[in-house]
Amino acid sequence: MENQELITQCATVAQQWLDSPIYDEATKQEVKAMLEAEDKTPLIDSFYRTLEFGTGGLRGIMGAGTNRMNVYVVGAATQGLANYLLKNFADRKEISVVVGHDCRNNGRFFAQTVANVFSANGIKVYLFEDLRPTPEVSFAIRYLGCQSGVNLTASHNPKEYNGYKAYWEDGAQVLAPHDKGIIDEVNKVRVEDVKFNGNPALIQTIGADIDEAYLKGVKELSIDPDVIQRQKDLSIVYTPLHGAGRTLIPAALKSWGFENVNTVAEQMVKDGNFPTVVSPNPENGEALTLALNLAKKINADIVMASDPDADRVGMACKNNEGEWVLVDGNQTCMIFLYYIIKNRIAMGKMKGDEYVVKTIVTTELIKAIADKNNVKMYDEYTGFKWIARVIRLLEGKETYIGGGEESYGFMGQDIVRDKDAVSACCLLAEICAWAKDQGKTLFDVLMDIYVEYGFALNHTINVVKPGKSGADEIKAMMDGFRANPPKELAGSPVVVTKDYKVLKAFDAQGNATALDFPETSNVLQWFTEDGTKVSVRPSGTEPKIKFYIEVRGDMECPKCYKAVRAEAMKKVDAVRESLGL
């Protein structure tokens, strides 16, 4: 009965779309097909709710319906954001925004729609001429002195998705109080309120001039240009996975002085269908297959891949046996911060006020590195808007030298306020050059870290639960963990439980202490006596619940790596069993 009520509710909304003169004929045909189909699942998934404009914007499957990414949902979101900007910056003569997009299908169409709606509301728009990396959009907001920005991207999601990232005047994704203010305005907008007819006089196309300024800023991240000159022939294989990285990353690497940059030709083609990969996600080893094939053919030193909007970087290198191995996001972030700290100290560039930032689900080895080198470290929620918040709060007081998270994102400098694969690829190449200069590989650098600071194995489990039924299951899982938290994991007692929904940490006896975070978040963490850490949270952008498992150990020498890792994997399996996964 409940399901029938839901079908009726969705059919009523769908019929309103058919009856309205606002929606175009192609949209109506798609809605009509859902109404007439025997299987009502697509109808329910498309209309059971309105695609929520959250604190990061929108992300969803493209198609007709209130719960889909389409021109009407994008238009309403932009009208709401425009209304908020007009209220918030009422005293300004001119309000301006940056609009960009990546390679996604409908990306240009949605970007032009966004530009039209902003301009129809009297807001000046700087519209990128073609696809550009997400970090360049963040950079352009600050560089051009804009009050906001929008990038049309679904990051590393499958080809069916598109998304809408909203930024504030500091170049970061929107935080309180503006996030809630924008959401309130978006929720007030009806499709008939949207001003779709743009004012061309207020839309300015941008491109090469911003590229030049951005690449100049990225180059300032280089810590040791001399080592690049000595190793300028470092053999690099890079792939943009059909995305926006193709516009700037090869050029950025060359501007740093690297002369042997090899690109994967089939994936240098802009294509929102991502025909050469199962998923355009550099976290998945499969996405690097063509790059690894090329690397083996030319005997390359390093492989790197950026996701469609070029904010994440995945990489692979050769191990001590000459086999190509993937380097995960925790290891990547750790290597970046290790190199930055170690080499800034070696070159006398530290003033004593430096700090780094990681997220709460990222490896605790980063804290060990920071502590040993007397560098302050801040732990923040998942998402670079929180790292950007720390930078904003500490501007002029302390010096940011790097921050990242386990999901293959890193931000090496504060000229952007979001993760940045352009600067990350360049810095990664410099680290490889530095290692090669010492007769080492990137893998050797990783082994050096484990020997000096201890070993950690990080393993992420994604439990995918699509649609309304999936959202209900994810909620039930989180409720279950709160009601019956684990007492032990892999045989080791849980000594601390952190619940960010109530901002409290509990010891084994149930005594509570406050967690100092700016707002609550639906995240649980358990820490065991033997150093294991487990974090669990529903994804904010995808229909899944994520489990982050970290197990710790000691590694006495590089040759011990395989045995130590195998032992750690056994412990990960035992943790999974403890959690019923």
Side-chain angles (χ1 to χ4, degrees):
M1 179 61 188
E2 185 183 333
N3 195 46
Q4 189 54 51
E5 287 175 5
L6 184 59
I7 292 170
T8 303
Q9 172 197 317
C10 293
T12 301
V13 179
Q15 190 61 48
Q16 289 168 0
W17 278 48
L18 288 183
D19 296 340
S20 171
I22 293 172
Y23 302 99
D24 63 79
E25 193 54 38
T27 296
K28 288 184 176 183
Q29 287 302 318
E30 194 175 337
V31 173
K32 190 179 178 188
M34 285 188 268
L35 279 168
E36 293 174 352
E38 191 173 330
D39 180 6
K40 298 301 181 187
T41 305
L43 176 72
I44 292 169
D45 287 347
S46 298
F47 284 97
Y48 84 91
R49 64 170 188 168
T50 297
L51 188 64
E52 185 180 352
F53 190 99
T55 53
L58 297 164
R59 194 178 297 184
I61 294 170
M62 289 178 278
T66 57
N67 189 39
R68 292 289 183 254
M69 279 291 291
N70 53 62
V71 67
Y72 305 105
V73 170
V74 167
T78 308
Q79 184 64 55
L81 178 52
N83 291 346
Y84 186 78
L85 291 171
L86 291 167
K87 285 181 181 179
N88 202 74
F89 296 103
D91 57 337
R92 290 186 65 93
K93 267 188 177 179
E94 180 182 78
I95 300 171
S96 59
V97 299
V98 174
V99 178
H101 65 90
D102 66 9
C103 65
R104 296 262 161 192
N105 294 331
N106 292 316
R108 187 67 190 175
F109 173 52
F110 288 159
Q112 188 66 61
T113 299
V114 171
N116 285 341
V117 174
F118 276 133
S119 64
N121 283 275
I123 294 171
K124 166 85 174 178
V125 180
Y126 294 98
L127 175 63
F128 273 103
E129 63 189 1
D130 200 352
L131 79 170
R132 285 298 190 280
T134 283
E136 189 178 6
V137 174
S138 171
F139 170 83
I141 292 166
R142 290 163 54 79
Y143 182 75
L144 295 169
C146 297
Q147 286 64 61
S148 183
V150 171
N151 197 33
L152 282 303
T153 173
S155 188
H156 57 291
N157 280 63
K159 64 182 179 180
E160 294 82 12
Y161 284 76
N162 212 322
Y164 183 111
K165 284 185 180 177
Y167 291 85
W168 201 242
E169 60 182 338
D170 62 348
Q173 289 191 57
V174 184
L175 277 173
H178 304 300
D179 53 357
K180 303 294 190 293
I182 293 168
I183 290 166
D184 288 346
E185 288 296 332
V186 171
N187 289 339
K188 292 177 194 172
V189 174
R190 301 169 304 161
V191 176
E192 47 266 41
D193 300 328
V194 181
K195 299 175 182 177
F196 281 108
N197 296 318
N199 177 358
L202 286 177
I203 302 175
Q204 180 179 332
T205 302
I206 56 174
D209 49 343
I210 306 298
D211 296 345
E212 185 180 348
Y214 172 58
L215 289 176
K216 183 181 176 185
V218 165
K219 195 172 178 183
E220 290 172 5
L221 175 60
S222 178
I223 296 170
D224 190 354
D226 291 341
V227 83
I228 296 173
Q229 279 306 301
R230 292 194 296 273
Q231 299 294 338
K232 62 186 178 182
D233 199 42
L234 183 83
S235 182
I236 299 167
V237 168
Y238 165 70
T239 173
L241 302 181
H242 301 286
R246 65 193 280 274
T247 61
L248 288 184
I249 290 176
L253 288 163
K254 286 173 183 174
S255 78
W256 277 45
F258 294 103
E259 297 178 359
N260 191 6
V261 180
N262 306 274
T263 56
V264 179
E266 305 97 311
Q267 295 176 331
M268 285 292 284
V269 178
K270 173 184 170 184
D271 194 332
N273 291 316
F274 309 111
T276 63
V277 294
V278 174
S279 169
N281 185 352
E283 294 180 51
N284 300 334
E286 175 275 330
L288 274 67
T289 301
L290 292 180
L292 286 168
N293 290 344
L294 176 58
K296 290 169 187 172
K297 183 178 177 183
I298 66 173
N299 192 28
D301 294 301
I302 183 71
V303 165
M304 51 183 81
S306 57
D307 66 343
D309 66 325
D311 61 356
R312 298 169 193 248
V313 60
M315 61 169 169
C317 64
K318 280 184 265 190
N319 66 14
N320 291 338
E321 296 170 7
E323 303 163 330
W324 282 95
V325 292
L326 301 174
V327 183
D328 69 35
N330 280 288
Q331 293 169 328
T332 305
C333 184
M334 186 170 66
I335 289 169
F336 280 139
L337 293 173
Y338 168 81
Y339 174 79
I340 289 169
I341 292 170
K342 186 178 179 72
N343 285 277
R344 283 178 70 99
I345 290 171
M347 300 187 75
K349 292 187 174 182
M350 296 292 247
K351 302 179 213 165
D353 65 348
E354 289 82 2
Y355 69 93
V356 297
V357 191
K358 77 171 189 68
T359 64
I360 57 174
V361 300
T362 305
T363 177
E364 295 302 313
L365 275 188
I366 289 169
K367 180 165 172 52
I369 294 168
D371 287 350
K372 189 170 179 180
N373 290 283
N374 298 311
V375 172
K376 196 178 289 186
M377 191 209 77
Y378 293 91
D379 235 352
E380 297 297 321
Y381 284 140
T382 298
F384 275 71
K385 62 186 179 182
W386 297 108
I387 297 177
R389 175 181 174 271
V390 176
I391 295 173
R392 189 174 70 248
L393 293 174
L394 297 178
E395 213 139 24
K397 302 171 192 171
E398 298 177 25
T399 303
Y400 174 83
I401 58 170
E405 62 183 14
E406 46 64 50
S407 60
Y408 293 68
F410 191 77
M411 189 168 79
Q413 59 197 143
D414 64 2
I415 62 165
V416 298
R417 300 295 166 92
D418 207 344
K419 49 189 175 285
D420 184 356
V422 182
S423 61
C425 282
C426 294
L427 184 62
L428 174 58
E430 181 175 310
I431 297 169
C432 288
W434 170 73
K436 195 169 185 180
D437 209 44
Q438 304 169 71
K440 294 182 177 183
T441 65
L442 195 70
F443 189 80
D444 291 326
V445 173
L446 182 60
M447 295 303 104
D448 289 346
I449 295 171
Y450 286 148
V451 170
E452 183 174 357
Y453 296 98
F455 177 80
L457 177 68
N458 290 270
H459 186 77
T460 303
I461 301 164
N462 296 310
V463 180
V464 179
K465 300 283 185 182
K468 182 184 183 303
S469 60
D472 292 341
E473 285 183 65
I474 288 171
K475 182 181 182 303
M477 288 175 80
M478 292 301 289
D479 290 345
F481 282 129
R482 285 194 167 91
N484 298 291
K487 300 286 189 293
E488 56 82 25
L489 294 168
S492 183
V494 172
V495 292
V496 175
T497 297
K498 293 183 180 180
D499 188 344
Y500 295 88
K501 198 172 185 181
V502 294
L503 291 180
K504 287 183 179 175
F506 303 91
D507 65 17
Q509 289 70 46
N511 302 310
T513 54
L515 293 172
D516 184 16
F517 280 78
E519 64 183 46
T520 60
S521 183
N522 191 14
V523 182
L524 284 167
Q525 286 186 314
W526 304 295
F527 299 80
T528 70
E529 203 171 72
D530 67 358
T532 296
K533 176 179 84 170
V534 173
S535 311
V536 55
R537 73 177 185 94
S539 171
T541 55
E542 299 169 86
K544 63 188 179 187
I545 184 168
K546 303 181 83 167
F547 295 83
Y548 308 81
I549 301 170
E550 177 170 66
V551 298
R552 300 290 294 274
D554 293 318
M555 197 173 105
E556 294 180 4
C557 66
K559 289 182 180 176
C560 307
Y561 174 69
K562 275 193 173 179
V564 171
R565 191 179 189 283
E567 199 58 38
M569 274 308 302
K570 286 182 189 173
K571 189 180 278 191
V572 166
D573 290 339
V575 171
R576 290 184 70 153
E577 194 173 330
S578 299
L579 293 170
L581 298 174

